[in-house]
Amino acid sequence: MDLFDSNSSERASLPRNMIENSMFEEEPDVVDLAKDSTAFPTFPALDPDEVTYEPRSSRLLVRGLGENDMDDDEEDCESSARLLGMSFMNRSSAHRSNSSPYTRQAPPRSCSRPSSRTIVVCVLFLVIVASVTMVFYFLPGCTFTKAGCHKPNKTNPIEPVYPISTNGELFPWAQLRLPQSIKPLSYDLTLNPDLDKMTFTGRTVISMSILHSTNRIVFHGANLNITKATFKLGDGQASDVTILEYKPRQQLAVNFSEELKAGQYCVLTMEYSANFSNAYDGFYKSFYIDKDRNKRYPLVLAATQFEPLSARKAFPCFDEPAFKATFLIKISRKKTYMTLSNMPKAKSTNLSNGLVQDEFEKTSVNMSTYLVAFIVADFTPNTKNVSETQVSVYSVPEKNGHTEYALTITSKLLEFYNNFFDINYPLKKLDLVAIPDFLAGAMENLGLITFRETTLLVGKESSLLEKQVVASVIAHELAHQWFGNLVTMTWWNDLWLNEGFATYMEYMSLQEVSPDLETGNLFLSVRFRALDKDALNSSHAVSTDVNTTEQVEEMFDSVSYEKGASILLMLNASFPGDQQFRKGIIEYLKQFSGLNTDTDDLWNSLTQEIVNERGKSKTDGCQSAACTDKSTHHMNVSQMMTSWTSQKGFPLVTVNLMGNQVTLAQEHFLLTSDNTTHTLWHIPVTYVNDSCSLAPECRQVFTLKNKSDTFKLSENVTWLKLNYKNTGFYIVDYGKDGWSALAQALFSNVGVLTHEDRASLIHNIFALSRYQSLLIAFSDETDTETSPVTEALLQLNNIYRQLEKRQESNLNFIMSTFRNLTAKQTWEEEENVSKQELRSALLEMACNLNDENCTQQATSLFKKYMESNGTLRIPGDLQQTVFTVAGRSDETWDALFNIYVHATYDSEKRKMLKGLASTQNPQRLVQILSFGLRGSLIQTQELPLVISTMCQSFAGCLFAWDFIQENWDRLIEKFPIGSFAIQAIIKSVTSQSSTQAQLNKVQAFFSGLKERGSQMRSVQEALETIKLNQRWMDRNLPTLQKWL
Ligand SMILES: [Zn+2]
C-alpha cells in the first residue's frame, strides 16, 4: 500500500506507554463466569495451538469470582458460622493463597446436637462449603492473590475464558490470532453486488486441510449476515452447521461434537448477504460524475480495499497474511458494467435474471486474503503487451486520455523488475485502475493494482513533479508484486518487509528507469523525515509486537515505510560490491517464493550471500573490493541489521578528529534528552575528508559496534564529513571545532561537498539545535541547490509555524534569509525537476509569508488563468502557489471554488482544494470541513489534506481542532482508529503546538476518548511533540528574538 498524504507530509513527525496500560482493560463482552454458571463447566478441549495463556481473560475471572460473588458467599458462610458459634473462615487472602485449595475446606466438626433450625443452617452451610470447594477446585491457586495469575503453568495450562457468541453460545476461541489447526487451501467465491440497492450477496466455499486434530474451525467475518452454512468432511455428506460469531474480534466459528482428525480434508460452504461498506475498506461503493455522458446524476461503482483487515468484510475467510490459498472468483453484473479481479477473465455467462456472471481464472499462485480484489464499474482500458504480460491502465471513460504516461512507465518498470529480481511477474495480465474515490495512495492487489486518480493519471499538461508522484507510486506497487505478494510477512509485526522494501525499490528503480525524474532528492528528504519521527521516545522498533487491530493499523507509518527503506539503503551502501545486495534478495525471493517470512529470514539470506561471495573471492585470488575492505569483509548482516530492526530510534555519532586520529562514539539520539538508554547499534560509518570528498571512491567505511572506538587515517586532514551522501540512518555531531571547520570549508567553496552531504549537515544541525553557523552560510546564498535549500526552508518553516501559533509571527526571518534566491526565480515554464522543486518551495514560502512581489505575480497569473477560460496554463510546479494565493483572497475564493467544483483532473483539483483550505475566513473554513465530512462537492478522502492545509495557519488550525473534537466519531467511522489517515489528522492538528495550554487541551480531549482512540501511538507522539516544541521554544525563543 502507498500511504500518499502521510508520505509527503512535510513536518517533523510526532509518539506508547498508554498502550501497555490500557491493553489489559476489561473487555465488556467477555463472559463473567461467576454470573453464568451454565458457561462454567463446558470448556472444549485445548488444541495444540491453544496452550498460550491470555492474561486479560483470567484477570476478569479473578474479578468475577473473587470480588463479587465470592464475597457474598463468604458473608453467607460467616453468618452461618456465627450462628453455629464457629469462626472458620480466615479472611486473610494470604492464608488462602498459600494453602492448597483442595485441602482447605475441612468439614465443620461442631454440628453434633442440632436443632431443626441448626440442621437447616448446617445443610445450607454444607452447600456453601461444597460450592466454595468447587470454585477452588476449578480455579488456579493464584486466583485470589492480589497479583493474579501471571505465569502459565506448564504442567497444568490455564484454560482461556471464552467469550459469548452473538447467539448466546460460548464462542470457542479467545485470541486475536486464529488457531493453527486448520489451513485453508482454496476459496471459491461468488459475489452478486446490487449497485442499485447498495447490498451484495455472496457464496463462499472454503476447502481446508486439518493440520492438528480439533473440535472447531475459527476464521474471520465482519458484518456478514450468514443465511446458510454446510460442512462436508472428506468424501462424506454435506450437512448444515451453525456459524457462531464473536463481533469484537470479527471472528466466526463452527463447533463440532466429534473431533476433526489431523490429515483430513473438509469443505465449508456459506451463503450470506451484506451492505456495501460506507468507509474506504472492505467491498465499498463509490460515486463519481462523468461529465461527458451524464451531467446530472452521479454514477456508482463498487471496489475493494482489503489491506490490512477488511477481506473479512466481503467474504468469510482466514484473514491473516500467513493463511495463503488460491482463489476462484465469480461476480455477477448488469450488462452496462464491467468487472475486474486479480486474474484474467475466464468466461462470461448470461444468467436467467438478465445479469451476466463473469468468472475469473483460479489464481495460479497462493495468495494472502488482503491481496484479493474485485471491481464492478464502467471503466475503459489502455493496453500494451510487455514481455509475457498484458498491461492495462483503467480509468473512468472521460479520463482515458490521461492513462498514457502510466502505461509507458509501468511497461518500463515491469521489464526492469523482471530483470532485477530475476523472477518474472507471475501473471498474464496486470491491471492498474484509477478509482475516483480511494483513500490510500494505491494498493498492490496481485494483478489488480488500485490507485487514486492523482497517483495514476497524468494530464497532457502535467509537470514533471506530477509525473514523479505517479511514477513513484507505480514503482512502489509494482515492487510489491515481488515483495509482499510473492513473499509475504508472516504477521503484521514485520510489515516493513513489505513496505520498507517497496519504498526502497521505488526510488532505486526510478533512478535507473527514469533518471529525469530525479527521485534521489525525494528519497533524501524522506530519510530526513524518518529520522525526525524516530527521534521521539514514543517511536517503535521496525519489527515490533502487534496484538490488537488498532496496532495492526498503526504499523502503516513512517517507521515501516521510510525507516525500513532507509536501513535497506544503508545496508546496500555498506556492501563492498554493487551486486551483492541484489543477489542476496534474489536468493531470498527464490527461496521463499509463495511463502511467508519474518525479518530473520531476510538477514539470513543476505548473510549467506556475503559468505558465498567470500568463498568465491578466495578462489579468485581475491581481486574484488570485498577482499580489500576489511570492515565489511567480516560483516555479519544478521548481527548488524538486528540492531536496527529490533530497537527503536537511531544513534547520534560524535566524532573527534586529532591529527590523523579519529575517535567515534555513539549514543541513542532522543529529542527528550532526559531519557538515557544504553542501546548500541552496529553502524557502518562512512566518511570523506578534505582531500577527497565528492566521488564515491572517496568514501571509506568503519564499523562502529561499541560505545566508542578509535582509528587512524593514512594522513592528517583538516575536516571529516561522516555519513557520505546521508546513506546511513544516523546523525552526526562534529563538536565545536569540527562544525566550524566544515562551515569554513563550505564558506570558501560550497561545492566541496555533495548536495546530499550539505543537506545532511543542515538536517543534523537542526536536529542538534545548534544551527547558527550554517545559517550564516545560507544568508550569503552560497547554496543554491535544491536539497540543501529545501531542507533548510522546511526546518525554518517549522520554527516559523510554531512561532505563528504563539502569535509571534512578526519574526519574519525566513524571507530575509532567502530573499535574493527567491527574487531570481522565474514564473515561466521550467523543464528541470530539481529546479521546479526549488522554485515551488521558494515561491510557496514567499507567498505564504506575504512577500508582495510574490503575491502580486501569483494574483495576476490567476486572473489571466480565469480570463482565458481554461486555455492558459499555469506551470504545474507553480499551480499550488497561485491557487493558494487565490484561495487566501476573499475576492478570488469563490471563483477558485467554482473552478474546483467543475475541474476533473484530480491532481490539479487537490492543489485547488489546498488553496481553498488556506482561507482565513471562518465561514468558508466551516463550509469546506462540512462538505468534506458529508462527501458532497469535496470527497471525504480529502479531509486529511484539508485539515493539514488549514493547520498551516493559526486561525485555520483552531477551526480544524474544533471540528475534529466535535466530529471524532464520524471521522473514525470513515478512517479506522490507528489508520494512516487518522495518524495524519492528529499530526496535522497538533505538531505545531508549543504551549502548556495547547498541551492540556490535546491531552484532555484524547484521554477522554478511551477505547475510541486514546490508546493510539500517534496520540503519544502528539503529546511528546508538543512537550518538545514547548521545551525548544522556552530555550530558544529569547535567542531567536535577539538574533533575528
Ligand atoms: Zn506499499
Side-chain angles (χ1 to χ4, degrees), residues 1-2 444 476-477 480 499 502 561:
M1 192 151 52
D2 183 282
E444 69 266 21
H476 179 104
E477 304 308 327
H480 272 311
E499 299 302 349
Y561 282 73

Side-chain angles (χ1 to χ4, degrees), residues 1-3 307 442-444 476-477 480 483 495 498-500 502-503 506 556 561:
M1 192 151 52
D2 183 282
L3 304 183
E307 192 181 22
M443 175 63 211
E444 69 266 21
H476 179 104
E477 304 308 327
H480 272 311
F483 278 100
L495 178 67
N498 277 14
E499 299 302 349
T503 306
E506 116 189 24
F556 293 81
Y561 282 73

Side-chain angles (χ1 to χ4, degrees), residues 215-348:
N215 279 75
R216 48 137 189 254
I217 301 176
V218 187
F219 50 105
H220 290 106
N223 307 324
L224 305 176
N225 172 29
I226 300 203
T227 48
K228 183 174 171 58
T230 60
F231 179 76
K232 188 165 96 82
L233 184 64
D235 297 328
Q237 285 290 313
S239 56
D240 287 357
V241 285
T242 305
I243 303 284
L244 301 172
E245 180 173 18
Y246 181 55
K247 284 194 169 174
R249 291 202 187 97
Q250 304 181 330
Q251 288 172 347
L252 305 176
V254 186
N255 263 330
F256 297 95
S257 48
E258 277 182 39
E259 199 172 59
L260 309 172
K261 295 276 187 287
Q264 287 181 302
Y265 288 88
C266 57
V267 178
L268 182 61
T269 303
M270 284 159 284
E271 287 170 20
Y272 58 96
S273 62
N275 293 322
F276 283 120
S277 163
N278 281 318
Y280 292 101
D281 59 351
F283 194 13
Y284 74 93
K285 60 178 190 274
S286 161
F287 300 96
Y288 66 99
I289 303 279
D290 185 334
K291 292 223 166 49
D292 286 356
R293 293 189 296 174
N294 193 326
K295 290 194 175 359
R296 282 204 199 146
Y297 304 103
L299 297 170
V300 63
L301 67 92
T304 57
Q305 166 61 42
F306 290 162
E307 192 181 22
L309 307 173
S310 296
R312 62 192 69 172
K313 293 181 180 170
F315 60 98
C317 58
F318 294 74
D319 199 9
E320 291 183 10
F323 288 110
K324 288 192 171 188
T326 60
F327 294 84
L328 192 151
I329 297 172
K330 296 172 212 152
I331 308 176
S332 66
R333 60 173 166 90
K334 276 187 180 171
K335 287 186 174 145
T336 48
Y337 284 102
M338 47 85 74
T339 62
L340 291 169
S341 184
N342 305 86
M343 297 296 289
K345 198 178 287 174
K347 61 177 179 190
S348 296

Side-chain angles (χ1 to χ4, degrees), residues 968-984:
W968 182 255
D969 289 340
R970 289 182 70 184
L971 286 173
I972 59 174
E973 247 173 57
K974 288 282 177 189
F975 314 121
I977 297 172
S979 64
F980 56 87
I982 285 287
Q983 291 177 37

